[in-house]
Amino acid sequence: MSPVIPSTMKALVIEDDPRRVEVKDHPVPSIADDEILVKTVAVSQNPTDFKHVDWVRIGRRGSVLGCDFSGIVVKVGKNVTSRKVGDRVSGFVHGGAWPDEGAFAEYLRTPAELVWPVPDSLKHEEAATLNCAFWTAVQALFHPTRLGLVEPPEKAKNSEWVLIYGGSSSVGQCAVQLAHLAGYKVVSTASPRNHELVKSLGADAVFDYKDPEVISKIKQATGDAVKYVLDTISEGDSQRISAESLGPQGGTVIVLLKPQPEATSRKDVKLQHTLLYTVLGREFDYGPGADYPVAPEDRAHMVQFLTKMPKFIEDGSIKPLKVRLWEGGLNAIPEGLQYMREGKVSAEKIVYRI
């Protein structure tokens, strides 16, 4: 028997005058023929969430905040055959942009092909940590128009070096695991307190990003053979260190924030931005002059990768990020967002039960 679905729900909605988020009664979204409706069980928090509140140019008044979720399917569109009512699923949506999309709510809509089945061995709280950060790492490392690395379960034939700048960040932890799984040698940067964590995820060498000799140490450890770079921080001095750490052949540095061409004088280095929202199949703008059209190739790449997720988790190849369960559900999220704004989150994911 299908569950009874209400017409309204509690959701964390962006409001203006003053700019804020507020838990409000909000319509339960309707679904299209290729979509599913999910009853949210757990959600996790990302920097993009508070940025959609703080940056008026990207966050829309009346939209539901939140990107990462895990929950139970309660309704399927008439064309959906891959999911059924009762399935445990997890995924990523573009919170803060539209009133009918967002994870920080009791229910959410999403394309059926853009969720992955959560194995029984994984808690919803853990599953919620493997979406925005994990998918970003997948896109940056493996998409043919980004770094284009060999994609697991295939293995790179040559033991090439990949630099993951910011290996203890959420994206960094996922990227270290993925690059290691794909057979690459991984060098990374992190605060000394997180070196052992990053090594436990598969990094062969880790250095303090604040060390003034960090570039020379990376070059020495890798034989000056870094061929690929993902900069998961993309601000401060990170783009300079990332670019200068590439070997003499040069190459591409994938960045998650705006490229800073002035960061390096090297002409053989390309700084390339990647933005995960392009996988969702919806045109959007990310501020003045930043219009993103529908990108079917980005969506198709992610759809095929998500089919591999359950096996990677079940065989232990991919581990969820450390969960910090923040008590209080939807009502507590504004407090958690402020905690993240203040830079207090380190090597963990803030997760809420809804």
Side-chain angles (χ1 to χ4, degrees):
M1 181 180 295
S2 297
V4 176
I5 300 168
S7 59
T8 61
M9 63 181 180
K10 296 296 183 183
L12 192 69
V13 178
I14 297 176
E15 294 293 345
D16 285 333
D17 303 321
R19 186 75 168 184
R20 67 194 187 281
V21 283
E22 184 177 318
V23 176
K24 304 182 68 173
D25 290 327
H26 195 79
V28 172
S30 58
I31 60 171
D33 292 345
D34 63 347
E35 293 181 330
I36 57 175
L37 187 69
V38 176
K39 178 71 174 72
T40 316
V41 175
V43 298
S44 74
Q45 181 177 298
N46 299 282
T48 191
D49 299 324
F50 75 75
K51 291 176 182 178
H52 272 75
V53 180
D54 298 351
W55 300 356
V56 177
R57 69 180 187 272
I58 63 171
R60 306 288 189 266
R61 179 183 180 276
S63 62
V64 178
L65 199 66
C67 296
D68 286 354
F69 69 89
S70 186
I72 308 294
V73 177
V74 293
K75 186 177 182 180
V76 300
K78 68 178 184 180
N79 294 338
V80 174
T81 58
S82 59
R83 305 287 174 244
K84 65 182 184 302
V85 171
D87 283 355
R88 304 170 79 237
V89 297
S90 190
F92 166 84
V93 294
H94 193 163
W98 292 283
D100 62 348
E101 185 172 342
F104 295 167
E106 293 177 319
Y107 294 87
L108 62 88
R109 63 184 277 263
T110 185
E113 65 179 7
L114 282 171
V115 296
W116 51 277
V118 177
D120 291 337
S121 60
L122 201 65
K123 297 177 181 177
H124 283 292
E125 293 89 339
E126 295 172 316
T129 72
L130 290 174
N131 292 301
C132 182
F134 189 85
W135 297 22
T136 296
V138 168
Q139 184 184 64
L141 295 177
F142 304 124
H143 193 285
T145 66
R146 277 67 166 192
L147 290 180
L149 303 188
V150 172
E151 189 174 295
E154 302 300 318
K155 301 283 187 181
K157 295 181 179 178
N158 301 315
S159 298
E160 297 173 314
W161 281 99
V162 178
L163 168 61
I164 308 297
Y165 187 101
S168 64
S169 70
S170 294
V171 176
Q173 290 184 55
C174 296
V176 168
Q177 294 186 72
L178 285 164
H180 175 73
L181 180 59
Y184 292 88
K185 292 188 290 187
V186 179
V187 61
S188 190
T189 65
S191 297
R193 68 179 181 273
N194 291 322
H195 282 191
E196 290 308 311
L197 166 65
V198 178
K199 288 179 181 178
S200 75
L201 297 174
D204 299 277
V206 187
F207 298 100
D208 183 358
Y209 67 96
K210 291 184 178 179
D211 185 339
E213 298 181 359
V214 63
I215 295 172
S216 62
K217 290 182 177 179
I218 290 172
K219 286 182 173 291
Q220 182 178 8
T222 63
D224 197 16
V226 172
K227 195 170 182 181
Y228 309 97
V229 184
L230 168 57
D231 177 1
T232 75
I233 305 301
S234 305
E235 58 187 0
D237 212 24
S238 70
Q239 295 193 30
R240 179 187 70 82
I241 294 171
S242 295
E244 299 298 322
S245 295
L246 275 162
Q249 80 288 335
T252 297
V253 177
I254 298 295
V255 296
L256 306 185
L257 300 176
K258 184 178 179 180
Q260 301 167 1
E262 69 280 4
T264 180
S265 60
R266 291 186 63 169
K267 304 301 183 186
D268 58 352
V269 174
K270 176 184 178 183
L271 298 172
Q272 180 181 342
H273 182 228
T274 197
L275 185 62
L276 184 60
Y277 295 120
T278 61
V279 306
L280 297 177
R282 207 167 180 177
E283 181 181 0
F284 66 97
D285 67 87
Y286 213 64
D291 297 324
Y292 287 82
V294 174
E297 68 283 358
D298 287 4
R299 176 163 170 164
H301 177 258
M302 191 59 63
V303 166
Q304 66 83 24
F305 195 96
L306 292 180
T307 64
K308 309 175 188 182
M309 287 281 288
K311 183 180 185 303
F312 290 155
I313 292 167
E314 289 175 331
D315 68 16
S317 299
I318 296 297
K319 298 177 176 62
L321 306 187
K322 180 182 177 181
V323 170
R324 176 171 181 172
L325 186 61
W326 199 287
E327 299 292 346
L330 290 174
N331 290 304
I333 293 177
E335 181 184 6
L337 293 174
Q338 184 58 31
Y339 185 84
M340 180 173 273
R341 276 191 194 94
E342 295 171 3
K344 295 178 180 178
V345 178
S346 178
E348 62 185 6
K349 290 289 283 185
I350 294 177
V351 177
Y352 309 85
R353 285 192 66 89
I354 304 302

